[in-house]
């Protein structure tokens, strides 16, 4: 499950298979793939490719396995290699379209889907995905056309909050005198636990108030943890609301004595993203200086369109509310610095040297993430064991080695970095000689990965020594991950 760097072939684990033919290795890899042991399947496909480097099917199969592990950059490269070997290998175009689509490159994905439909006109699945992809491309072109020379009006300014009426039959939590109280938040948690909805007027209130708070935040937020005081860092939640409740059960609710930092990717994938983000917004309003949320790569329009959050908000509330969430996500800080010693951000370090903390502080974050540069790297990059830098396995951002981490820390007088962004078997991973920590808080990610979740506790002081708590998934209502995504993204 740890997907740092390139696959290592011919490991001792598969030494017994080293004399098998490429075809035999492919069959073994297929067995691992069927059991959803994707990392092992990748390794065996790689061993087969070493024996037969001009076999399009091997690259196509490995591309599919990379898609399952969210290594979309590697998946694209393998699919392209398969097409290069055999221009008539239709699955290569299909896999490449999936990889392009996962990174929001819809125009490129559309070309490959059109190729699949041309060769397989009776493939109903391909036709549906091609049509859906074309709709998105046309929609984006239309939005771009009408935005020229037009001053974009804030969604928040267009909301007529006061005119929203509340039916007498509504029996959920209520905001009295415009103030979020502890009692309101506790009732909100119980309401969501029972799969009931918060009235849209109160949901809008939470989002608008959160927008006001985050818009005043710095791009890099400095947090001081007093000596002997507790502080908790959580990684990706990904819409797994019942696992979020379990974190609170294990570690306590956010409060002035129990502050939290949620390090991005609160939404998408899991089908209770609305519940997750509204609860965290409520705690943010209640404890503005003790609940922090960083932006992740999934707090963006492109990812929300692909991985379910947009569809979920539209289903549970409205398109207008989704557009308001988009505005709030553009206000979220990109990074947090704990006691001037630990930098916490969602993805990782940078594609170029000599980036200083002031570069982050001075960055204009109020936008959708670009495809390269400082903001892209913060949201998308990953560590790797090898020295130096490599192109990202995801196709966005970069991979950075222990020397890159060491140089960045020295330049900025930091002790280590904490990031999230990647599934880890144990919920966390310590890499780069203890200088790069990954924490991931969505156990059994997407109901299929079997990983533990984790969070990190600190006691404030001169030395912030991390203490890790790991936990398993808890039961949740029968809603599959990404159940609000369109047919186009069902393979993801």
């Amino acid at each position: 499950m740890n997907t740092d760097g390139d696959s290592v072939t011919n490991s001792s684990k598969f030494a017994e298979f080293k004399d098998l033919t490429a075809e035999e290795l492919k069959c073994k890899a297929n067995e691992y793939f069927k059991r959803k042991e994707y990392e092992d399947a990748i390794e065996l496909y790689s061993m087969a490719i070493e024996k037969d480097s001009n076999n399009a099917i091997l690259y196509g199969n490995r591309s599919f396995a990379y898609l399952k592990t969210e290594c979309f950059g590697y998946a694209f490269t393998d699919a392209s290699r398969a097409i290069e070997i055999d221009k008539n290998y239709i699955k290569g175009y299909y896999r490449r379209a999936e990889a392009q689509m996962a990174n929001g490159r819809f125009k490129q994905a559309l070309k490959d889907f059109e190729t699949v439909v041309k060769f397989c006109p009776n493939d109903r699945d391909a036709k549906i995905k091609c049509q859906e992809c074309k709709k998105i491309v046309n929609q984006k072109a239309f939005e771009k056309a009408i935005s020229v020379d037009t001053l974009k009006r804030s969604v928040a300014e267009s909301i007529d909050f006061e005119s929203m009426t509340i039916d007498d039959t509504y029996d959920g939590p209520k905001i009295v005198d415009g103030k979020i109280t502890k009692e309101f938040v506790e009732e909100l948690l119980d309401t969501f636990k029972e799969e009931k909805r918060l009235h849209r007027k109160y949901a809008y209130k939470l989002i608008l108030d959160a927008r006001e708070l985050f818009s005043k935040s710095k791009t890099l937020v400095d947090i001081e943890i007093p000596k002997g005081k507790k502080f908790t860092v959580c990684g990706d939640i990904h819409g797994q609301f019942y696992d979020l409740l379990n974190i609170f059960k294990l570690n306590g609710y956010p409060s002035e004595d129990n502050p939290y930092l949620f390090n991005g990717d609160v939404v998408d994938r899991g089908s209770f993203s609305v519940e997750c983000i509204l609860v965290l917004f409520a705690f943010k309003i209640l404890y503005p200086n003790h609940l922090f949320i960083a932006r992740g790569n999934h707090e963006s329009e492109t990812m929300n369109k692909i991985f379910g959050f947009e569809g979920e908000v539209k289903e549970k509330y409205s398109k207008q509310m989704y557009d308001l969430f988009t505005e709030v996500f553009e206000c979220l800080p990109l990074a947090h610095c704990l006691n001037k010693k630990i930098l916490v951000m969602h993805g990782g370090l940078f594609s170029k040297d000599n980036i200083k903390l002031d570069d982050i502080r001075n960055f204009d974050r109020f936008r959708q993430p670009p495809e390269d540069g400082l903001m892209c790297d913060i949201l998308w990059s990953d560590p790797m064991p090898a020295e130096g830098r490599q192109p990202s396995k995801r196709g966005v951002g970069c991979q950075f080695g222990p020397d890159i981490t060491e140089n960045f820390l020295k330049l900025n007088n930091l002790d280590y970095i904490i990031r999230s962004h990647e599934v880890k078997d144990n919920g966390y991973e310590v890499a780069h000689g203890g200088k790069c920590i990954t924490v991931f808080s969505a156990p059994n990610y997407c109901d299929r990965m079997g990983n533990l979740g984790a969070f990190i506790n600190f006691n404030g002081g001169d030395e912030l020594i991390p203490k890790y708590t790991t936990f398993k998934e808890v039961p949740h209502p029968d809603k599959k991950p990404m159940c609000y995504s369109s047919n186009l993204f069902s393979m993801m």
Side-chain angles (χ1 to χ4, degrees):
M1 195 171 306
N2 181 355
T3 54
D4 288 346
D6 289 307
S7 298
V8 179
T9 59
N10 293 324
S11 72
S12 57
K13 181 174 181 179
F14 295 118
E16 62 184 291
F17 298 152
K18 63 183 177 63
D19 294 327
L20 297 181
T21 65
E23 181 62 26
E24 290 170 331
L25 285 165
K26 183 190 80 171
C27 292
K28 291 286 185 185
N30 290 347
E31 291 174 11
Y32 280 90
F33 186 95
K34 288 176 183 176
R35 295 200 297 266
K36 300 183 179 181
E37 298 174 26
Y38 302 120
E39 293 298 330
D40 288 336
I42 288 168
E43 189 165 338
L44 287 165
Y45 287 134
S46 299
M47 290 172 66
I49 287 169
E50 286 186 357
K51 292 175 180 283
D52 184 1
S53 61
N54 288 305
N55 187 323
I57 294 174
L58 293 177
Y59 285 100
N61 287 6
R62 192 171 71 173
S63 176
F64 197 16
Y66 276 136
L67 285 171
K68 293 295 185 180
T69 59
E70 301 189 15
C71 295
F72 302 123
Y74 289 171
F76 171 82
T77 300
D78 272 359
S80 296
R81 175 64 179 139
I83 294 167
E84 182 183 324
I85 294 169
D86 181 359
K87 295 192 184 308
N88 295 317
Y89 181 60
I90 302 306
K91 286 185 178 179
Y93 295 99
Y94 206 113
R95 301 288 175 252
R96 192 166 70 178
E98 293 173 335
Q100 294 278 48
M101 191 175 58
N103 283 329
R105 294 168 182 149
F106 299 112
K107 289 177 74 172
Q108 297 91 326
L110 178 59
K111 289 181 181 179
D112 283 333
F113 276 134
E114 287 175 338
T115 300
V116 175
V117 171
K118 179 181 177 182
F119 280 92
C120 304
N122 296 323
D123 188 328
R124 183 172 177 274
D125 188 61
K127 287 176 72 174
I128 290 172
K129 289 182 171 65
C130 187
Q131 290 167 0
E132 291 291 326
C133 197
K134 186 175 291 185
K135 284 181 186 177
I136 293 173
V137 170
N138 291 339
Q139 179 187 351
K140 286 184 170 290
F142 175 74
E143 289 172 351
K144 184 177 180 180
I146 64 173
S147 68
V148 176
D149 298 326
T150 302
L151 184 63
K152 185 178 178 181
R153 186 186 178 195
S154 167
V155 178
E157 294 174 0
S158 68
I159 294 170
D160 187 3
F161 179 77
E162 296 302 327
S163 70
M164 296 181 190
T165 59
I166 299 172
D167 194 282
D168 291 339
T169 60
Y170 174 71
D171 61 354
K174 298 177 181 178
I175 298 173
V176 180
D177 296 329
K179 292 184 179 181
I180 308 300
T181 64
K182 184 179 178 182
E183 291 72 25
F184 169 83
V185 178
E186 289 173 350
E187 192 175 350
L188 179 65
L189 288 164
D190 289 336
T191 296
F192 286 160
K193 230 185 285 189
E194 297 170 2
E195 291 189 85
K196 297 178 181 178
R197 291 183 191 169
L198 178 67
H199 192 279
R200 68 187 186 99
K201 182 169 185 175
Y202 301 134
Y204 272 114
K205 172 68 174 172
L206 291 179
I207 303 166
L208 289 167
D209 285 2
R211 178 182 179 273
E212 184 176 356
L213 286 171
F214 286 121
S215 66
K216 296 174 182 176
S217 292
K218 304 290 186 182
T219 300
L220 171 57
V221 178
D222 289 292
I223 300 173
E224 186 66 28
I225 309 172
K227 188 172 183 178
K229 293 293 186 179
K230 179 182 174 183
F231 190 87
T232 301
V233 177
C234 294
D236 304 39
I237 299 298
H238 275 302
Q240 297 185 197
F241 176 67
Y242 294 86
D243 293 309
L244 174 61
L245 291 179
N246 190 40
I247 291 173
F248 293 152
K249 180 180 178 181
L250 295 170
N251 194 58
Y253 289 129
S255 70
E256 292 178 353
D257 294 320
N258 193 29
Y260 279 81
L261 165 56
F262 288 87
N263 195 30
D265 282 11
V266 175
V267 302
D268 273 342
R269 294 289 196 179
S271 294
F272 302 93
S273 293
V274 167
E275 289 79 2
C276 287
I277 196 67
L278 287 179
V279 162
L280 293 187
F281 280 178
F283 275 120
K284 176 65 179 178
I285 297 161
L286 188 60
Y287 304 112
N289 298 316
H290 298 87
L291 191 288
F292 304 92
I293 305 174
R295 190 173 190 177
N297 63 302
H298 278 267
E299 277 73 46
S300 70
E301 282 187 283
T302 299
M303 294 296 102
N304 295 163
K305 190 176 291 292
I306 298 169
F307 294 104
F309 184 61
E310 180 183 31
E312 182 181 344
V313 180
K314 287 179 179 178
E315 173 71 22
K316 293 179 178 178
Y317 289 100
S318 67
K319 170 67 163 62
Q320 183 192 50
M321 185 176 287
Y322 170 71
D323 291 339
L324 182 59
F325 271 118
T326 297
E327 281 192 4
V328 183
F329 291 164
E330 290 186 349
C331 299
L332 292 176
L334 297 183
H336 296 77
C337 193
L338 310 182
N339 287 12
K340 298 182 171 59
K341 287 298 180 182
I342 305 171
L343 184 67
V344 188
M345 66 285 197
H346 180 73
L349 297 181
F350 307 96
S351 302
K352 63 180 184 179
D353 295 325
N354 300 318
I355 298 294
K356 296 183 179 180
L357 295 185
D358 280 346
D359 294 320
I360 304 173
R361 287 191 179 96
N362 297 327
F363 190 86
D364 178 12
R365 71 185 188 276
F366 297 94
R367 64 178 75 183
Q368 287 301 302
E371 291 195 7
D372 54 29
L374 183 146
M375 184 177 183
C376 175
D377 291 337
I378 282 179
L379 299 180
W380 280 96
S381 292
D382 298 293
M384 64 178 183
E387 300 280 298
R389 294 184 178 89
Q390 289 183 11
S392 172
K393 62 192 178 186
R394 302 173 188 268
V396 187
C398 72
Q399 294 184 97
F400 59 95
D403 55 325
I404 304 300
T405 300
E406 185 68 29
N407 291 338
F408 176 81
L409 295 175
K410 284 182 178 177
L411 179 66
N412 290 285
N413 193 30
L414 297 168
D415 290 344
Y416 57 93
I417 63 172
I418 296 175
R419 39 91 60 184
S420 302
H421 195 40
E422 289 183 283
V423 183
K424 298 298 177 183
D425 287 332
N426 292 319
Y428 72 95
E429 181 183 76
V430 181
H432 295 182
K435 302 295 186 181
C436 178
I437 296 171
T438 298
V439 59
F440 192 86
S441 302
N444 194 24
Y445 178 49
C446 291
D447 288 354
R448 65 180 175 84
M449 298 303 282
N451 60 291
L452 296 175
F455 54 82
I456 303 173
N457 289 134
F458 295 101
N459 280 318
D462 295 334
E463 291 188 18
L464 292 178
I465 300 173
K467 177 185 175 184
Y468 306 98
T469 298
T470 61
F471 54 94
K472 294 182 178 180
E473 78 275 16
V474 296
H476 64 75
D478 187 21
K479 281 187 181 176
K480 294 181 180 179
M482 293 184 61
C483 71
Y484 297 103
S485 300
S486 73
N487 290 331
L488 177 58
F489 311 115
S490 60
M491 83 289 289
M492 298 296 177

